[in-house]
Amino acid sequence: MLQGFVDRKRAAGTVTLILRDGKVAYVSALGSADVEKGVPMRPDTIFRIASQSKAITTAAAMMLVDEGRLLLNDPVSKYIPAFRTTTVMVPPAVNAAPGSPVSTVATRRQITVRDMMTHTSGVSYGGNAATRPLYLAAGFDDWYFANKTEPIAVWIEKLATLPFDAQPGESYVYGYNTDILGYVVEKASGLPLDQFFKTRIFDPLKMTDTAFFLPLEKRDRFAVNYSTGPDGTFVRAEDRGRFQGAYVEGPRASFSGGAGLLSTASDYARFLQMLLNGGELDGVRVLSPKTVALMTSNHVGTLYALGNFGFGLGFEITEHVGRSGRPGSVGEFGWGGAYGTKYWVDPEEKLVVVFMTQLMPATGIDMSDRIRALLYGSIDVPGAKLGTMKLTAAGKGK
């Protein structure tokens, strides 16, 4: 199935890794990481994971909760005073002229750390038509920060002065919440976010290829980003902005906890296996079991935009398989990234699934949905045997 997508030029290349019981059940690297240069896709190819960064940033914050240095109900202003007084836009009248001034009101309560983790703070990505000009004027042209020359702190302080889309706790609004949370981690820990991640998560879990910016010596392992062309086949994405990104030649100054990380399938699988194990991997404990249970519970009731699912601390939660409309299990959690990456963890089946490709924007591509269908269609089917390879830190099986 995956080879068919490559053969039909719907994707340049893919890496797929499935673990069951902590062992490699399936792994493939197909197609090209760079079509123009003839570089094949490899199991250790490095990808832009965009919003898959959110789970790692949330885990970092929850480590501080485990240590008593952060509380879920803490107001964000405790760490970022600029958030003590924030505003919310008043929806414009139906007959309001385009570009009309935006009215605002004060938030009815302060935004909390948990609001940030669950995207219920009211903070968006600035895509609301009424407030979009204000965000553009302030320099917020997208979710992308790799090209910024200032630390993330400068941008988060500026963000606090803009009107948000909804009152705290009243709506699920996907946005810069996890970037704000990353700055909270910096303030609460006293470390830059890249150093906290490296010393507290990446090094202990042997995630050797995960970072905000690409080490120059690994340039030959970095996948090119493609996009869907007019005929449905891929074309090389533009060399501007977020499409290829400043992850190699950029200023390396702004650490986006919401969308800035690079990683490999095996590195990210190690992070997910830690969560599946209740916060521990290979004798290294990162989070407590109760904290992982808290993260993987629905915190938003029916507020989540896709009402058939719940939303926990950092990812989507499956509470009812029938309502989800897809094969899986109750308790499953996962998310994806703007460049076409996808992951999920199924505790009931002891599964970790990581799918990597680089395709943004993508149109009509359903590779991860087909992987899901084939995977669950093979479970408990006689003759559908799983492998017995053990995942190593380098991502190679034996």
Side-chain angles (χ1 to χ4, degrees):
M1 182 274 292
L2 288 168
Q3 186 64 53
F5 273 95
V6 173
D7 293 344
R8 296 192 303 275
K9 300 188 183 304
R10 302 300 302 280
T14 66
V15 173
T16 307
L17 178 61
I18 301 173
L19 309 183
R20 198 178 197 193
D21 290 318
K23 298 176 181 179
V24 177
Y26 175 86
V27 61
S28 68
L30 304 172
S32 300
D34 186 330
V35 174
E36 291 75 20
K37 292 184 179 179
V39 178
M41 194 67 82
R42 299 172 10 179
D44 65 350
T45 293
I46 298 171
F47 297 85
R48 306 157 188 80
I49 64 170
S51 286
Q52 288 188 202
S53 307
K54 290 178 168 67
I56 293 175
T57 303
T58 305
M62 294 306 291
M63 293 169 72
L64 297 175
V65 171
D66 268 347
E67 296 167 1
R69 292 198 275 172
L70 193 65
L71 295 176
L72 293 184
N73 291 326
D74 277 346
V76 171
S77 63
K78 180 177 178 179
Y79 308 94
I80 312 173
F83 277 82
R84 184 166 291 117
T85 303
T86 54
T87 61
V88 176
M89 63 162 285
V90 177
V94 175
N95 60 352
S100 298
V102 176
S103 299
T104 63
V105 295
T107 50
R108 287 192 280 270
R109 67 164 173 82
Q110 290 207 36
I111 295 168
T112 67
V113 169
R114 187 164 79 143
D115 291 331
M116 294 299 177
M117 293 181 177
T118 57
H119 294 276
T120 56
S121 69
V123 178
S124 72
Y125 275 128
N128 190 302
T131 56
R132 182 70 172 162
L134 299 176
Y135 280 74
L136 290 174
F140 292 91
D141 53 352
D142 226 318
W143 43 260
Y144 169 71
F145 287 94
N147 63 342
K148 306 298 186 187
T149 57
E150 307 88 355
I152 194 72
V154 172
W155 291 94
I156 300 308
E157 299 276 352
K158 189 184 298 187
L159 181 63
T161 68
L162 296 171
F164 302 146
D165 282 22
Q167 289 286 343
E170 294 187 3
S171 302
Y172 176 94
V173 181
Y174 195 58
Y176 291 111
N177 298 276
T178 319
D179 291 297
I180 300 167
L181 184 66
Y183 184 30
V184 169
V185 170
E186 290 190 338
K187 298 285 279 187
S189 69
L191 290 173
L193 196 60
D194 65 330
Q195 288 301 307
F196 188 97
F197 281 1
K198 184 178 189 315
T199 59
R200 299 293 307 275
I201 299 176
F202 300 156
D203 286 352
L205 293 181
K206 299 183 174 135
M207 296 170 65
T208 56
D209 290 319
T210 305
F212 281 108
F213 295 94
L214 187 75
L216 296 180
E217 67 273 14
K218 297 181 181 181
R219 187 192 301 252
D220 63 334
R221 291 168 50 202
F222 192 38
V224 169
N225 180 46
Y226 294 87
S227 62
T228 304
D231 63 353
T233 62
F234 69 82
V235 295
R236 188 183 179 102
E238 301 173 65
D239 284 315
R240 66 176 179 85
R242 62 192 173 101
F243 295 100
Q244 295 298 342
Y247 300 103
V248 181
E249 305 294 349
R252 297 172 181 259
S254 198
F255 307 128
S256 166
L261 286 171
L262 313 175
S263 192
T264 62
S266 58
D267 267 17
Y268 206 82
R270 290 184 67 80
F271 171 73
L272 296 177
Q273 187 66 48
M274 176 273 293
L275 293 176
L276 179 58
N277 292 350
E280 177 273 336
L281 182 66
D282 295 341
V284 175
R285 179 156 295 285
V286 176
L287 292 163
S288 71
K290 286 291 187 181
T291 294
V292 175
L294 181 64
M295 292 175 67
T296 55
S297 300
N298 182 16
H299 285 247
V300 302
T302 59
L303 288 182
Y304 177 41
L306 297 175
N308 292 330
F309 296 89
F311 202 88
L313 303 182
F315 22 63
E316 179 183 86
I317 308 293
T318 298
E319 291 192 297
H320 191 287
V321 175
R323 284 196 295 269
S324 77
R326 65 189 188 191
S329 303
V330 172
E332 177 190 314
F333 58 93
W335 202 240
Y339 294 98
T341 59
K342 185 78 173 178
Y343 74 88
W344 72 89
V345 177
D346 184 335
E348 181 177 321
E349 297 293 346
K350 300 180 181 178
L351 283 168
V352 167
V353 182
V354 180
F355 172 72
M356 299 289 208
T357 193
Q358 299 283 252
L359 195 66
M360 184 191 74
T363 304
I365 302 298
D366 56 3
M367 288 180 283
S368 63
D369 290 339
R370 293 180 182 275
I371 290 170
R372 175 183 286 275
L374 291 170
L375 169 61
Y376 284 100
S378 75
I379 290 177
D380 296 331
V381 173
K385 296 180 180 178
L386 296 175
T388 57
M389 296 188 294
K390 180 175 175 60
L391 183 68
T392 66
K396 297 179 180 179
K398 280 193 174 181

